[in-house]
Amino acid sequence: MSENKVIFEAKNLKKYFPASGGKMVRAVDDVSFSISEGETFGLVGESGCGKTTCGRMLLGVYPPTEGEVLYRGRGLGTLDRHERMDFCKNVQMIFQDPYACLDPRMSIGSIIAEGLHVHFRLNQEETMKRVKEQLDRVGLTSDYASRFPHELSGGQRQRVGIARALAVEPRFIVCDEPIAALDVSIQAQIVNLMIQLQRELKLTYLFISHDLSMVRHISDRIGVMYLGSLVELAGNVVIHEKPLHPYTQALFSAIPIADPDHSWISDRIRLEGEIPSPLSAPPGCKFSSRCRMCTEECRKSPPPLREVEPGHFVACHRV
Amino acid sequence: MDNILEVKNLSVSFMSYIGEIRAVRDVSFSLKPGETLAIVGESGCGKTVTVKALMRLFGNSAAVIKEGSQILFRGQDIAKMKKTDLYNIRGSGIGMIFQDPMTSLNPTMNVGDQIVEGIRTHDQKISRRDAIARAVKLLELVGIPSPEERIKNYPHQLSGGMRQRVMIAIAIACSPDIIIADEPTTALDVTIQAQVLELLRELKDKLNTAFILVTHDLGIVFDFSDRIQVMYAGRIVERGTKHEIYKNPVHPYTWALLNSIPRRGLQSKDELYSIKGTPPDLMLPLESCPFAPRCDYAMPICKARAPQEIALSDTHGAACWLLHSMAPKVERPGTLRGADNE
C-alpha cells in the first residue's frame, strides 16, 4: 500500500443492546483495530459475532455504548455539522441484500442521483452525466438509468448499489456481505469489479463477510470475530496459513475444499458445542467454553489482544 | 445392483399467466442403493424442481410434470401414481431435508411431535409412547445433547444447526431408501455446515441409504458425493463420478463453476474467473445450446442446435458441441489443468 495513513481507528468499541429482563446483548465487546488508506480490511466470523454492528459503528449509524471511532484522527462525536457532511460524503456503504436496499419506486437514475443532490450542486444535465459515468463504471449501459429495480437481476442490482455508493466519490466503503445473496458465477463478477474499482479509485474497503475464501481473496488484512470480540488479526495469507487462535484454526479448517482426494470434513478441527448466547457469554475468554486448550486462567480473565509477531495480533492466553 | 430410482425424460413446467416456464427439460438419471448423487447448479437451473418432482411435492403451485416423464422408484412410476400410494412413499420410501429449517419446521408443534407424526403415519401399530422413545433415539443419533429434554422444545428454542439436525431426524425417522437433501447447509455457518455434513455422511454409512444432494456449492460436493450432475437451464449439461468431474471436466459451464471458487493457489486480488451475462429466460424454447450466449467457446452451431449428450465413459457424459468429432480442440482454462498434476 502506498502510505500507511490511518483512515479509521476503532478504540475499545462496545455496543450493548438492551434485551428483555434487564439483560444486555453484548454485540460488540471491546474491539480495537485500525484501517489504513488504500487497504481492504476483512472482518469475518459466524452469524451473530458482531461484525455488522462493528461496520455500522464505523459509519456512525450506531453510536457506540463505550469507546470511540476516530476518522482521520477525529472522534465521530466531535464533528460539527459541516464536517459531518464531509464525513458522510467520504464514507459509503454497500448492503447485503440487493433486493431490499433499492427503493422499488425510484428509477435507477434517481437512486444514483440522490446522493449527488445532497452533496453537490449540479444542474440536471451534469447530474445525468455523472449518473451515466457511474453506470458505465460498474458495467451497466446508460439506458439502465430509466429502469426500475424490479427489472434487474440480483447481480445487476448489486452493481447499482455499488454505483450509488461511488456516485459521491467516497474514499472509504463498508461492504456488508455484498456477495452473500448472489449466485456463485455472479459473486466472482462483483468481486472482480470491486477489486478493479479499488485500483482505479484508490478506495479503502471494510469487507464484512462470512465467506472465508472470498475474504481471503479480496482482503489485505483480516480480523476474526467471535461473540463480539476480535480474537485474531493478521495479514490475509498469514491468517490462513498460520492461524494461532484455536477458534481461527477451527474456522479456517472448516472451509470446503474442492478436491475429491482430500476430505476436509474429516480433517477439520472439530469444535465442541455451539456458540453461547451473547446474553450469557462466558466471563473470561469467550471461547473458553468450546476450547480444547482451555485452562483455569482462560475461564477467569479475558485475554487481551496482543501482538505476537509484527502485524499479527491474537487474543489468547495460550499462544 | 439394480437402480433404486430411475428418472426418464423428466420435464416439469410452471403454467403462469405469462406463459409456460419450462423449469426442467428432458432430464434422465438413475440412482443405485447406497449411492450419493450431487446435483449442482445456480439458482433457477431446475435442481430443486427436479427433486421436488421425485416426490411430486408441488402443492398448489402450477407445476405440471409433462407427458412422457417417468420416475421409477422400485419399479413404480411416481409420475402417474395415485395420491394414496404417494403418501406411502413420502417419508418411508423417500425422505427429504429442506434448505431452511426455520420455515420447514412447524412453529406450533414441539419437535418431538413433529418426528412422531411421521413415524405414526407410516406405522399405525406403534403406540405413542414407543414412537416418542424412537424420536428420542433419533435425536440422539443426530447428535442433539440431552434429547429427552430437547424433544419438548419448539423450533424457535433451537439454534439453526440444531433445527437442521431435527429436520434430518424427521427425514430418517422411517428409514427411507433415498434421502433428498435440498441445500441442507446453505443457511448455516461454516463450522456448523461441516458438522451437519459430517453427520449426514455418518448416517449414510450407518443406514446405507442413497442420497441426493442438491447444492450450488461445488466446494462441498467433492467430499460428499460419488457422482455429480451439473444442471443449467433445466438440463443436465455434464455428469460423471467426482473424479471425472474434478480431473477431466469437459463442459465449459463446469469449467466456469469450478473456476469461480477461489482456489488455494490463486494469488490474492488476481482476477477471479467469472461467467459473463446472466442465466437464460426459461420461457424461451431454447433450441440452441442454453449456455451459448455466455460461453467463451461458442461456435455457430451452438446457436443453431442444442447438443445431445455425448458419452465419454459409462459414467461420464456431457452435452456440448465441443465434444463432437468435427469440433476444434480447445484447451481447458489454465487454472483447471493444474488439477491433473495432483
Side-chain angles (χ1 to χ4, degrees):
Chain A
M1 292 303 106
S2 49
E3 58 208 78
N4 223 357
K5 236 169 101 189
V6 172
I7 183 162
F8 260 112
E9 201 174 346
K11 273 190 174 167
N12 305 93
L13 276 188
K14 289 183 188 173
K15 181 74 196 172
Y16 296 173
F17 293 104
S20 61
K23 288 188 198 162
M24 283 289 179
V25 174
R26 291 194 268 169
V28 174
D29 205 3
D30 203 3
V31 166
S32 306
F33 57 89
S34 60
I35 302 174
S36 310
E37 190 121 36
E39 78 169 343
T40 303
F41 185 79
L43 209 48
V44 297
E46 295 180 275
S47 32
C49 72
K51 49 193 194 303
T52 295
T53 310
C54 258
R56 294 195 171 167
M57 279 195 284
L58 287 197
L59 289 179
V61 178
Y62 293 149
T65 310
E66 256 177 63
E68 63 176 342
V69 177
L70 300 179
Y71 172 69
R72 296 188 195 276
R74 298 279 309 274
L76 280 196
T78 65
L79 301 178
D80 63 28
R81 204 175 144 263
H82 195 72
E83 289 168 319
R84 180 85 202 169
M85 276 299 272
D86 191 52
F87 171 76
C88 290
K89 181 190 139 343
N90 280 317
V91 174
Q92 286 292 315
M93 183 154 182
I94 300 170
F95 297 89
Q96 170 168 9
D97 187 348
Y99 294 85
C101 75
L102 302 178
D103 188 332
R105 294 175 302 177
M106 285 167 81
S107 70
I108 302 304
S110 41
I111 286 172
I112 297 172
E114 201 177 11
L116 293 172
H117 292 315
V118 175
H119 292 288
F120 304 95
R121 280 157 197 261
L122 300 172
N123 62 31
Q124 189 68 29
E125 204 177 312
E126 285 168 328
T127 310
M128 274 327 284
K129 194 170 147 262
R130 290 265 190 117
V131 167
K132 282 179 180 155
E133 272 172 22
Q134 297 311 324
L135 284 172
D136 185 50
R137 193 173 261 161
V138 297
L140 297 174
T141 52
S142 50
D143 55 302
Y144 276 91
S146 56
R147 297 210 198 171
F148 284 84
H150 72 265
E151 299 173 62
L152 273 53
S153 70
Q156 289 169 332
R157 285 170 198 233
Q158 200 56 288
R159 285 173 193 267
V160 172
I162 295 173
R164 170 175 65 183
L166 291 176
V168 294
E169 295 162 12
R171 308 293 309 149
F172 178 83
I173 300 182
V174 173
C175 319
D176 188 3
E177 304 259 16
I179 53 169
L182 306 173
D183 264 321
V184 212
S185 69
I186 312 294
Q187 283 186 355
Q189 286 179 5
I190 297 295
V191 167
N192 283 342
L193 174 69
M194 291 180 62
I195 293 173
Q196 176 213 333
L197 289 170
Q198 179 171 44
R199 287 207 180 114
E200 279 169 21
L201 306 169
K202 307 214 164 34
L203 296 168
T204 310
Y205 289 141
L206 171 66
F207 195 89
I208 300 171
S209 179
H210 65 270
D211 184 339
L212 299 166
S213 41
M214 260 327 168
V215 171
R216 178 207 159 133
H217 183 74
I218 195 170
S219 308
D220 299 300
R221 288 191 305 141
I222 296 174
V224 181
M225 288 187 74
Y226 180 79
L227 213 61
S229 302
L230 200 59
V231 296
E232 188 160 1
L233 197 165
N236 64 336
V237 179
V238 175
I239 210 157
H240 263 77
E241 266 143 43
K242 272 203 312 182
L244 293 174
H245 195 282
Y247 175 67
T248 318
Q249 291 170 350
L251 186 67
F252 282 89
S253 76
I255 303 176
I257 298 167
D259 183 345
D261 300 318
H262 177 100
S263 178
W264 60 274
I265 299 178
S266 312
D267 292 354
R268 76 196 156 89
I269 301 165
R270 285 163 181 76
L271 284 182
E272 295 291 319
E274 300 200 359
I275 300 188
S277 151
L279 282 168
S280 52
C285 171
K286 295 205 166 144
F287 188 57
S288 60
S289 59
R290 303 171 74 191
C291 186
R292 298 165 288 142
M293 312 194 300
C294 172
T295 60
E296 212 33 58
E297 189 191 10
C298 302
R299 289 196 193 90
K300 277 190 193 131
S301 65
L305 193 69
R306 60 199 168 84
E307 192 163 14
V308 285
E309 274 169 50
H312 193 160
F313 298 83
V314 186
C316 180
H317 290 303
R318 303 292 311 274
V319 172
Chain B
M1 253 190 293
D2 277 354
N3 292 332
I4 187 163
L5 180 77
E6 232 168 291
V7 176
K8 287 181 189 161
N9 309 101
L10 175 69
S11 296
V12 184
S13 287
F14 289 90
M15 300 302 176
S16 78
Y17 68 98
I18 40 170
E20 180 184 350
I21 295 163
R22 304 185 55 199
V24 177
R25 300 165 185 231
D26 199 16
V27 161
S28 303
F29 61 92
S30 59
L31 192 68
K32 290 189 175 67
E35 187 183 40
T36 305
L37 171 72
I39 303 181
V40 187
E42 287 177 86
S43 37
C45 75
K47 53 193 195 299
T48 296
V49 179
T50 305
V51 294
K52 281 195 170 169
L54 300 184
M55 288 166 83
R56 291 204 354 226
L57 280 180
F58 290 121
N60 292 328
S61 74
V64 176
I65 297 179
K66 304 289 275 188
E67 223 23 57
S69 308
Q70 269 190 319
I71 303 164
L72 298 174
F73 173 68
R74 296 194 201 121
Q76 293 168 283
D77 191 353
I78 291 180
K80 297 195 181 65
M81 195 174 273
K82 276 190 295 188
K83 275 234 166 108
T84 44
D85 294 335
L86 204 55
Y87 289 146
N88 292 330
I89 287 183
R90 288 181 182 157
S92 66
I94 307 178
M96 186 132 180
I97 301 166
F98 295 93
Q99 171 171 3
D100 184 354
M102 192 64 230
T103 50
S104 314
L105 293 174
N106 185 340
T108 66
M109 279 167 87
N110 69 38
V111 298
D113 285 344
Q114 298 191 49
I115 302 173
V116 166
E117 189 183 25
I119 297 174
R120 296 195 75 195
T121 307
H122 291 291
D123 184 354
Q124 260 130 46
K125 282 181 225 126
I126 195 167
S127 72
R128 190 174 155 76
R129 185 176 297 169
D130 289 350
I132 289 176
R134 210 151 114 210
V136 171
K137 278 222 180 71
L138 284 164
L139 286 185
E140 203 178 341
L141 187 67
V142 297
I144 291 185
S146 50
E148 296 86 358
E149 305 293 314
R150 286 296 184 183
I151 204 155
K152 296 177 202 124
N153 281 165
Y154 287 84
H156 74 269
Q157 293 168 302
L158 303 172
S159 67
M162 286 290 175
R163 281 185 214 135
Q164 199 55 288
R165 285 167 195 268
V166 171
M167 286 274 295
I168 294 169
I170 293 173
I172 63 174
C174 300
S175 23
D177 299 322
I178 303 174
I179 293 177
I180 299 170
D182 185 4
E183 306 256 13
T185 59
T186 307
L188 306 174
D189 277 315
V190 274
T191 55
I192 312 291
Q193 162 172 288
Q195 283 177 10
V196 168
L197 287 175
E198 185 168 49
L199 169 69
L200 287 176
R201 210 171 54 175
E202 279 170 17
L203 289 174
K204 189 177 83 181
D205 296 341
K206 223 182 267 176
L207 310 171
N208 197 32
T209 36
F211 248 89
I212 300 179
L213 174 73
V214 175
T215 180
H216 67 275
D217 187 350
L218 264 177
I220 69 172
V221 300
F222 288 108
D223 196 9
F224 193 80
S225 19
D226 305 317
R227 285 193 299 129
I228 295 168
Q229 206 158 275
V230 181
M231 284 187 76
Y232 188 76
R235 291 205 178 122
I236 297 173
V237 294
E238 184 163 1
R239 66 174 92 220
T241 65
K242 61 177 174 181
H243 286 98
E244 283 165 341
I245 298 286
Y246 185 71
K247 296 237 162 89
N248 186 27
V250 290
H251 198 287
Y253 182 61
T254 316
W255 298 345
L257 276 185
L258 281 168
N259 253 338
S260 49
I261 327 171
R263 296 206 166 203
R264 275 182 296 180
L266 200 67
Q267 284 298 304
S268 62
K269 300 209 180 183
D270 273 358
E271 192 167 331
L272 288 175
Y273 183 83
S274 67
I275 312 175
K276 58 191 180 195
T278 45
D281 186 351
L282 292 172
M283 296 273 293
L284 303 174
L286 295 185
E287 263 140 29
S288 59
C289 170
F291 190 57
R294 302 177 75 188
C295 182
D296 290 335
Y297 308 91
M299 301 174 284
I301 186 146
C302 302
K303 285 168 183 141
R305 278 167 62 195
Q308 293 298 310
E309 184 172 305
I310 293 170
L312 297 167
S313 74
D314 289 348
T315 46
H316 195 188
C320 180
W321 283 115
L322 286 177
L323 297 172
H324 194 270
S325 53
M326 281 161 70
K329 290 278 163 281
V330 295
E331 296 236 316
R332 247 178 283 155
T335 44
L336 286 179
R337 261 178 287 133
D340 291 343
N341 304 334
E342 286 180 4

